[in-house]
């Protein structure tokens, strides 16, 4: 059935029922958008680039020109440095602890599983929701999604700041070797 036929049939329904139907549609749409955002699959088309350093990788390239109005679509390619240094992460942790906003779960964690022969290190802070933690990764900064304490402790084990620094140094060294050899 074409969408305009469906819309015309909805117009024939009592206004109260139309409102309930529209409210159901909006609620389902909100849930789908929230789910996509949590899973990292939400494509908002236009985004703000967030990084420490943003550089243009190459000259912008025209990929399409509209024949009707001459408008062009231009491809820009960037190099982003979104990382966070261990020093900055350690400062963030110390400030939380000094301000007494921290919880027992705040701190550095290493992954229990290896990924490509390496263990990953994250910084976790309790968020405003109970048992939920904000995650800061050295390569991508703060995660858009909070992690529940049970998931955090299932995937990661808590480590000292010194051990986190050592693991991050090994990780950075291996990445540098891989890139330049």
């Amino acid at each position: 059935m074409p969408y305009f036929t469906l819309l015309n049939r909805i117009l024939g329904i009592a206004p109260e029922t139309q409102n309930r139907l529209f409210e159901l549609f909006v609620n389902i749409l909100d849930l789908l958008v929230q789910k996509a955002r949590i899973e990292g699959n939400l494509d908002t088309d236009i985004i703000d680039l967030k990084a420490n350093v943003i550089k243009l990788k190459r000259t912008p390239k025209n990929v399409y020109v509209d024949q009707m109005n001459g408008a062009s679509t231009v491809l820009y390619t960037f190099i982003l440095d979104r990382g966070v240094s261990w020093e900055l992460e350690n400062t963030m942790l110390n400030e939380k602890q000094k301000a007494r906003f921290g919880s027992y779960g705040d701190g550095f964690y290493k992954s229990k599983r290896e990924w490509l022969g390496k263990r990953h290190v994250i910084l976790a802070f309790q968020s405003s929701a109970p048992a939920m933690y904000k995650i800061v990764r050295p390569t991508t900064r703060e995660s858009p999604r909070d992690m529940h304490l049970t998931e955090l402790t299932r995937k990661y084990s808590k480590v000292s700041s010194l051990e986190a620094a050592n693991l991050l140094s090994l990780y950075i060294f291996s990445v540098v070797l891989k890139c330049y050899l």
Side-chain angles (χ1 to χ4, degrees):
M1 166 184 348
Y3 70 91
F4 53 84
T5 305
L6 174 66
L7 294 176
N8 282 334
R9 289 185 180 168
I10 291 173
L11 285 174
I13 299 174
E16 298 82 27
T17 308
Q18 287 181 26
N19 289 339
R20 287 197 306 246
L21 187 61
F22 181 71
E23 190 175 319
L24 174 65
F25 169 77
V26 169
N27 289 339
I28 291 171
L29 181 63
D30 287 343
L31 287 172
L32 291 173
V33 168
Q34 182 181 11
K35 180 181 179 215
R37 183 173 283 127
I38 288 169
E39 293 173 349
N41 296 328
L42 182 65
D43 183 4
T44 57
D45 295 330
I46 298 173
I47 60 167
D48 291 330
L49 299 177
K50 297 177 183 174
N52 297 332
V53 179
I54 302 174
K55 294 180 183 176
L56 195 58
K57 185 173 183 177
R58 61 177 146 258
T59 327
K61 176 182 173 186
N62 279 333
V63 291
Y64 179 77
V65 176
D66 186 273
Q67 299 301 320
M68 298 285 283
N69 63 12
S72 62
T73 302
V74 181
L75 172 65
Y76 290 86
T77 306
F78 297 97
I79 298 172
L80 304 176
D81 176 5
R82 301 182 303 167
V84 181
S85 68
W86 174 83
E87 291 81 9
L88 179 58
E89 286 184 328
N90 204 36
T91 301
M92 292 165 66
L93 179 61
N94 289 335
E95 286 176 1
K96 274 267 197 191
Q97 290 171 342
K98 283 180 188 173
R100 302 203 193 288
F101 290 126
S103 75
Y104 75 94
D106 291 353
F108 290 99
Y109 289 79
K110 73 175 179 181
S111 59
K112 290 182 178 177
R113 293 177 47 191
E114 286 189 0
W115 186 72
L116 297 176
K118 298 167 197 66
R119 297 208 185 266
H120 290 261
V121 178
I122 62 170
L123 175 61
F125 293 115
Q126 186 168 11
S127 72
S128 55
M132 297 298 286
Y133 282 79
K134 296 216 170 280
I135 305 300
V136 179
R137 290 183 173 86
T139 53
T140 57
R141 294 192 160 254
E142 188 175 317
S143 174
R145 156 182 112 73
D146 291 350
M147 188 180 291
H148 195 275
L149 180 61
T150 55
E151 181 183 1
L152 178 66
T153 54
R154 184 177 34 121
K155 293 180 176 180
Y156 298 90
S157 55
K158 197 166 184 184
V159 295
S160 68
S161 294
L162 183 61
E163 186 176 351
N166 290 337
L167 288 167
L168 284 171
S169 296
L170 288 171
Y171 178 77
I172 291 167
F173 182 71
S174 68
V175 168
V176 169
L177 280 177
K178 187 176 183 180
C179 290
Y180 292 105
L181 292 182

